């Protein structure tokens, strides 16, 4: 009885201590983000000056008057716990004849030197036509990013605003635009193409894209969806964002046939294998002739490791693959909820003679027909999964 009372008191103390710690952490972070009265006045002045500068900048560059809707003062934090410092610039949202666009400009002094994205639509359309002519096939959709100046050093530390440039772009000049600005572009088609032999079939295009990657920091990824419906159901279409070959594209293995990406010091390509088993779809990169995956059910028991309290409502599915890499599983939505009364999916796998179990994050597909998760097959030993209530 005494031990039980001590345990109860300890648990109460732990909860109280935890609440106090959280309170002080919240207070600390709120204090770290709070600006003084002088800083708030400085930000207000920067905002007003930046709006005026943005109007004058657009008038001088494009020859028309526009309205400054709002200004977001730029700040930067040097370290996780540092107080955000005011940079003196602002991103001003502008409107002209129903079109909204942005201007990045100083708010400390009067100036007409800035960057903007007013011509983004024109540049993106030119890029689509340029690459369609280069590749010799119709591009269904394009995702484009670019910076005003070359990126020096680590691309993740570059603080330039995306898609804002200073130059006045001349329509039809995208070929030389590439040489002046670092770009990242994703080019999607719905032709069910296999890009794994693209370098062999298109040596000149491959050489050109590799040259652009090396000399101009141009990042290009070509993605071929199985058809238009698969493109519409694709998980996301921003694979041109950031470093082009680090983008979790395996989550779209149900819809994408293949891809090839070009960036500095790296050209990578792959096609996806898609298997159906018991109404469940499983995808992985296709690395060998025939099926790369071996799928079975109810051949293994669900181990009692203390992670799951009840028996699974589904059968235990086993997926084996000798090669390492990501494996994505798509479970029918209606079956998960109606037939299996599902709430969670658990995975179990063995690594170095030790078993592990954990629940996975489920993401619905755009058409809400499937819930999917991705398992990284580090050891090449495969895994089991099951649905739990």
């Amino acid at each position: 009885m005494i031990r039980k009372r001590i345990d109860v008191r300890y648990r109460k103390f732990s909860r109280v201590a935890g609440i106090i710690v959280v309170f002080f952490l919240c207070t600390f972070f709120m204090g770290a983000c709070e600006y003084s009265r002088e800083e708030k006045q400085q930000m207000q002045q920067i905002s007003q000056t930046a709006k005026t500068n943005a109007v004058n900048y657009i008038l001088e560059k494009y020859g028309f008057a526009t309205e400054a809707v709002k200004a977001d003062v730029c700040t930067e934090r040097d370290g996780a716990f540092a107080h955000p410092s005011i940079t003196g610039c602002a991103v001003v949202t502008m409107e002209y004849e129903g079109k909204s666009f942005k201007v990045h400009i100083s708010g400390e002094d009067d100036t007409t030197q800035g960057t903007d994205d007013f011509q983004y639509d024109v540049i993106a359309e030119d890029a689509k036509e340029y690459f369609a002519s280069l590749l010799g096939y119709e591009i269904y959709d394009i995702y484009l990013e670019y910076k005003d100046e070359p990126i020096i050093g680590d691309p993740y530390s570059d603080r330039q605003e995306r898609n804002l440039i200073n130059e006045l772009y001349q329509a039809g000049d995208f070929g030389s635009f590439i040489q002046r600005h670092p770009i990242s572009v994703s080019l999607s088609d719905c032709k069910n193409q296999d890009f794994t032999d693209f370098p062999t079939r298109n040596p000149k295009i491959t050489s050109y894209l590799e040259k652009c990657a090396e000399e101009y920091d141009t990042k290009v990824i070509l993605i071929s969806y199985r058809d238009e419906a698969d493109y519409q159901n694709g998980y996301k279409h921003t694979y041109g964002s950031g470093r082009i070959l680090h983008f979790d594209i395996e989550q779209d293995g149900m819809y994408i046939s293949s891809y090839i990406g070009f960036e500095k010091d790296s050209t990578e390509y792959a096609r996806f294998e898609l298997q159906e088993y018991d109404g469940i779809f499983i995808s992985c990169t296709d690395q060998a002739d025939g099926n790369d995956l071996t799928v079975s059910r109810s051949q293994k028991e669900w181990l009692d490791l203390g992670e799951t309290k009840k028996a699974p409502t589904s059968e235990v599915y086993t997926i084996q693959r000798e090669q390492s890499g990501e494996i994505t599983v798509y479970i029918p939505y209606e079956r998960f909820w109606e037939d299996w009364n599902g709430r969670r999916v658990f995975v179990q796998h063995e690594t170095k003679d030790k078993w592990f179990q954990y629940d996975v994050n489920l993401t619905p597909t755009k058409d809400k027909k499937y819930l999917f998760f991705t398992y990284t097959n580090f050891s090449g030993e495969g895994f089991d999964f099951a649905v739990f209530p």
Side-chain angles (χ1 to χ4, degrees), residues 98-129:
K99 177 178 179 177
S100 178
F101 62 100
K102 297 183 182 301
V103 171
H104 180 264
I105 201 163
S106 173
E108 292 183 313
D109 302 301
D110 294 340
T111 183
T112 55
Q113 292 297 311
T115 58
D116 68 278
D117 65 354
F118 180 74
Q119 293 182 289
Y120 177 82
D121 293 342
V122 175
I123 296 171
E125 187 60 32
D126 274 5
K128 186 176 180 180
E129 294 179 3

Short mmCIF file of all heavy atoms in Angstrom, two decimals, residues 98-129:
data_model
loop_
_atom_site.label_atom_id
_atom_site.label_comp_id
_atom_site.label_asym_id
_atom_site.label_seq_id
_atom_site.Cartn_x
_atom_site.Cartn_y
_atom_site.Cartn_z
N GLY A 98 -6.11 42.99 -61.17
CA GLY A 98 -6.57 41.70 -60.68
C GLY A 98 -5.48 40.67 -60.45
O GLY A 98 -5.76 39.57 -59.96
N LYS A 99 -4.25 40.99 -60.79
CA LYS A 99 -3.14 40.06 -60.61
C LYS A 99 -2.36 40.42 -59.35
O LYS A 99 -2.01 41.58 -59.13
CB LYS A 99 -2.21 40.09 -61.82
CG LYS A 99 -0.99 39.18 -61.69
CD LYS A 99 -0.13 39.22 -62.94
CE LYS A 99 1.10 38.33 -62.80
NZ LYS A 99 1.92 38.31 -64.03
N SER A 100 -2.07 39.40 -58.52
CA SER A 100 -1.28 39.60 -57.32
C SER A 100 0.14 39.11 -57.55
O SER A 100 0.35 38.05 -58.15
CB SER A 100 -1.92 38.84 -56.14
OG SER A 100 -1.14 38.98 -54.97
N PHE A 101 1.11 39.87 -57.11
CA PHE A 101 2.51 39.48 -57.22
C PHE A 101 3.30 40.09 -56.08
O PHE A 101 2.74 40.84 -55.26
CB PHE A 101 3.09 39.88 -58.59
CG PHE A 101 3.10 41.36 -58.85
CD1 PHE A 101 4.25 42.11 -58.68
CD2 PHE A 101 1.95 42.01 -59.29
CE1 PHE A 101 4.27 43.48 -58.93
CE2 PHE A 101 1.95 43.37 -59.55
CZ PHE A 101 3.11 44.11 -59.36
N LYS A 102 4.59 39.77 -55.99
CA LYS A 102 5.39 40.20 -54.85
C LYS A 102 6.64 40.97 -55.29
O LYS A 102 7.18 40.72 -56.36
CB LYS A 102 5.81 39.00 -53.99
CG LYS A 102 4.62 38.26 -53.37
CD LYS A 102 5.07 37.14 -52.47
CE LYS A 102 3.87 36.37 -51.91
NZ LYS A 102 2.96 37.23 -51.14
N VAL A 103 7.07 41.85 -54.43
CA VAL A 103 8.31 42.61 -54.61
C VAL A 103 9.12 42.51 -53.33
O VAL A 103 8.59 42.71 -52.24
CB VAL A 103 8.02 44.09 -54.94
CG1 VAL A 103 9.32 44.91 -54.90
CG2 VAL A 103 7.33 44.24 -56.28
N HIS A 104 10.41 42.18 -53.47
CA HIS A 104 11.33 42.18 -52.34
C HIS A 104 12.20 43.42 -52.47
O HIS A 104 12.90 43.60 -53.47
CB HIS A 104 12.19 40.92 -52.35
CG HIS A 104 13.16 40.85 -51.21
ND1 HIS A 104 14.47 41.23 -51.33
CD2 HIS A 104 13.01 40.43 -49.93
CE1 HIS A 104 15.09 41.06 -50.18
NE2 HIS A 104 14.22 40.58 -49.32
N ILE A 105 12.18 44.28 -51.44
CA ILE A 105 12.86 45.57 -51.56
C ILE A 105 13.21 46.11 -50.17
O ILE A 105 12.60 45.73 -49.17
CB ILE A 105 11.97 46.58 -52.33
CG1 ILE A 105 12.80 47.72 -52.93
CG2 ILE A 105 10.82 47.09 -51.45
CD1 ILE A 105 12.07 48.48 -54.02
N SER A 106 14.20 47.01 -50.13
CA SER A 106 14.61 47.62 -48.87
C SER A 106 13.53 48.56 -48.34
O SER A 106 12.81 49.20 -49.11
CB SER A 106 15.92 48.39 -49.06
OG SER A 106 16.25 49.12 -47.88
N GLY A 107 13.44 48.63 -47.01
CA GLY A 107 12.53 49.58 -46.37
C GLY A 107 13.27 50.53 -45.47
O GLY A 107 12.66 51.22 -44.65
N GLU A 108 14.58 50.58 -45.62
CA GLU A 108 15.38 51.47 -44.78
C GLU A 108 15.62 52.82 -45.47
O GLU A 108 15.64 53.87 -44.81
CB GLU A 108 16.72 50.80 -44.45
CG GLU A 108 16.58 49.61 -43.53
CD GLU A 108 17.92 49.00 -43.15
OE1 GLU A 108 18.76 48.79 -44.06
OE2 GLU A 108 18.12 48.73 -41.96
N ASP A 109 15.87 52.80 -46.78
CA ASP A 109 16.14 54.02 -47.53
C ASP A 109 15.30 54.03 -48.80
O ASP A 109 14.82 52.99 -49.28
CB ASP A 109 17.63 54.12 -47.92
CG ASP A 109 18.54 54.07 -46.69
OD1 ASP A 109 18.40 54.95 -45.83
OD2 ASP A 109 19.36 53.14 -46.62
N ASP A 110 15.12 55.19 -49.39
CA ASP A 110 14.42 55.30 -50.65
C ASP A 110 15.25 54.64 -51.75
O ASP A 110 16.44 54.93 -51.90
CB ASP A 110 14.18 56.77 -51.01
CG ASP A 110 13.24 57.46 -50.03
OD1 ASP A 110 12.50 56.73 -49.33
OD2 ASP A 110 13.24 58.70 -49.96
N THR A 111 14.64 53.73 -52.51
CA THR A 111 15.35 53.01 -53.56
C THR A 111 14.38 52.47 -54.58
O THR A 111 13.20 52.28 -54.29
CB THR A 111 16.18 51.85 -52.97
OG1 THR A 111 16.93 51.22 -54.02
CG2 THR A 111 15.28 50.81 -52.32
N THR A 112 14.88 52.23 -55.78
CA THR A 112 14.10 51.55 -56.82
C THR A 112 14.82 50.27 -57.26
O THR A 112 14.61 49.78 -58.36
CB THR A 112 13.85 52.47 -58.03
OG1 THR A 112 15.10 52.95 -58.52
CG2 THR A 112 12.92 53.62 -57.67
N GLN A 113 15.68 49.75 -56.39
CA GLN A 113 16.37 48.49 -56.66
C GLN A 113 15.70 47.37 -55.86
O GLN A 113 15.67 47.41 -54.63
CB GLN A 113 17.85 48.60 -56.27
CG GLN A 113 18.65 49.54 -57.15
CD GLN A 113 18.69 49.05 -58.60
OE1 GLN A 113 18.98 47.88 -58.86
NE2 GLN A 113 18.41 49.94 -59.52
N GLY A 114 15.15 46.42 -56.57
CA GLY A 114 14.47 45.31 -55.91
C GLY A 114 14.35 44.12 -56.82
O GLY A 114 14.98 44.05 -57.89
N THR A 115 13.57 43.13 -56.40
CA THR A 115 13.27 41.96 -57.22
C THR A 115 11.77 41.69 -57.14
O THR A 115 11.11 42.05 -56.17
CB THR A 115 14.04 40.71 -56.73
OG1 THR A 115 13.70 40.45 -55.36
CG2 THR A 115 15.55 40.91 -56.85
N ASP A 116 11.24 41.02 -58.18
CA ASP A 116 9.80 40.76 -58.20
C ASP A 116 9.51 39.49 -58.99
O ASP A 116 10.37 38.96 -59.70
CB ASP A 116 9.06 41.94 -58.83
CG ASP A 116 9.36 42.08 -60.32
OD1 ASP A 116 10.41 42.66 -60.68
OD2 ASP A 116 8.56 41.57 -61.13
N ASP A 117 8.27 39.00 -58.88
CA ASP A 117 7.86 37.82 -59.62
C ASP A 117 6.69 38.11 -60.57
O ASP A 117 5.91 37.22 -60.90
CB ASP A 117 7.48 36.68 -58.66
CG ASP A 117 6.25 37.00 -57.80
OD1 ASP A 117 5.76 38.15 -57.86
OD2 ASP A 117 5.79 36.11 -57.07
N PHE A 118 6.57 39.36 -61.01
CA PHE A 118 5.47 39.75 -61.89
C PHE A 118 5.46 38.94 -63.19
O PHE A 118 4.41 38.62 -63.73
CB PHE A 118 5.56 41.25 -62.20
CG PHE A 118 4.46 41.75 -63.11
CD1 PHE A 118 3.17 41.90 -62.64
CD2 PHE A 118 4.72 42.04 -64.44
CE1 PHE A 118 2.15 42.34 -63.47
CE2 PHE A 118 3.70 42.49 -65.29
CZ PHE A 118 2.42 42.64 -64.79
N GLN A 119 6.64 38.58 -63.69
CA GLN A 119 6.72 37.88 -64.98
C GLN A 119 6.82 36.37 -64.83
O GLN A 119 7.12 35.67 -65.81
CB GLN A 119 7.94 38.40 -65.76
CG GLN A 119 7.81 39.85 -66.22
CD GLN A 119 9.01 40.29 -67.04
OE1 GLN A 119 10.11 40.45 -66.49
NE2 GLN A 119 8.82 40.47 -68.33
N TYR A 120 6.53 35.83 -63.64
CA TYR A 120 6.70 34.39 -63.43
C TYR A 120 5.90 33.55 -64.43
O TYR A 120 6.41 32.58 -64.99
CB TYR A 120 6.30 34.01 -62.01
CG TYR A 120 6.40 32.52 -61.77
CD1 TYR A 120 7.62 31.93 -61.45
CD2 TYR A 120 5.28 31.69 -61.91
CE1 TYR A 120 7.73 30.56 -61.26
CE2 TYR A 120 5.39 30.32 -61.72
CZ TYR A 120 6.60 29.76 -61.40
OH TYR A 120 6.71 28.40 -61.22
N ASP A 121 4.65 33.91 -64.67
CA ASP A 121 3.81 33.12 -65.59
C ASP A 121 4.39 33.09 -67.00
O ASP A 121 4.36 32.05 -67.68
CB ASP A 121 2.38 33.68 -65.62
CG ASP A 121 1.66 33.51 -64.30
OD1 ASP A 121 2.11 32.67 -63.50
OD2 ASP A 121 0.66 34.22 -64.06
N VAL A 122 4.91 34.23 -67.46
CA VAL A 122 5.51 34.31 -68.79
C VAL A 122 6.76 33.43 -68.86
O VAL A 122 6.97 32.68 -69.82
CB VAL A 122 5.87 35.76 -69.14
CG1 VAL A 122 6.62 35.84 -70.47
CG2 VAL A 122 4.61 36.62 -69.19
N ILE A 123 7.59 33.50 -67.82
CA ILE A 123 8.82 32.71 -67.79
C ILE A 123 8.50 31.22 -67.74
O ILE A 123 9.13 30.41 -68.43
CB ILE A 123 9.69 33.14 -66.58
CG1 ILE A 123 10.13 34.60 -66.75
CG2 ILE A 123 10.90 32.24 -66.43
CD1 ILE A 123 10.81 35.19 -65.53
N ALA A 124 7.52 30.82 -66.92
CA ALA A 124 7.15 29.41 -66.81
C ALA A 124 6.61 28.86 -68.13
O ALA A 124 6.93 27.74 -68.52
CB ALA A 124 6.13 29.22 -65.70
N GLU A 125 5.81 29.66 -68.83
CA GLU A 125 5.28 29.22 -70.12
C GLU A 125 6.39 29.09 -71.16
O GLU A 125 6.41 28.14 -71.95
CB GLU A 125 4.21 30.20 -70.61
CG GLU A 125 3.47 29.75 -71.86
CD GLU A 125 2.73 28.45 -71.68
OE1 GLU A 125 2.27 28.18 -70.56
OE2 GLU A 125 2.60 27.68 -72.67
N ASP A 126 7.33 30.04 -71.15
CA ASP A 126 8.49 29.95 -72.04
C ASP A 126 9.32 28.71 -71.72
O ASP A 126 9.83 28.03 -72.63
CB ASP A 126 9.36 31.20 -71.92
CG ASP A 126 8.88 32.33 -72.82
OD1 ASP A 126 7.82 32.16 -73.46
OD2 ASP A 126 9.56 33.36 -72.88
N ALA A 127 9.48 28.41 -70.43
CA ALA A 127 10.25 27.23 -70.03
C ALA A 127 9.59 25.96 -70.53
O ALA A 127 10.26 25.04 -71.01
CB ALA A 127 10.38 27.20 -68.50
N LYS A 128 8.27 25.90 -70.44
CA LYS A 128 7.53 24.72 -70.90
C LYS A 128 7.73 24.50 -72.39
O LYS A 128 8.00 23.39 -72.86
CB LYS A 128 6.05 24.89 -70.56
CG LYS A 128 5.19 23.67 -70.86
CD LYS A 128 3.76 23.91 -70.39
CE LYS A 128 2.88 22.70 -70.67
NZ LYS A 128 1.48 22.93 -70.21
N GLU A 129 7.62 25.59 -73.17
CA GLU A 129 7.81 25.49 -74.62
C GLU A 129 9.27 25.16 -74.95
O GLU A 129 9.54 24.38 -75.88
CB GLU A 129 7.40 26.81 -75.28
CG GLU A 129 5.91 27.11 -75.17
CD GLU A 129 5.53 28.43 -75.81
OE1 GLU A 129 6.44 29.08 -76.39
OE2 GLU A 129 4.36 28.83 -75.73
#
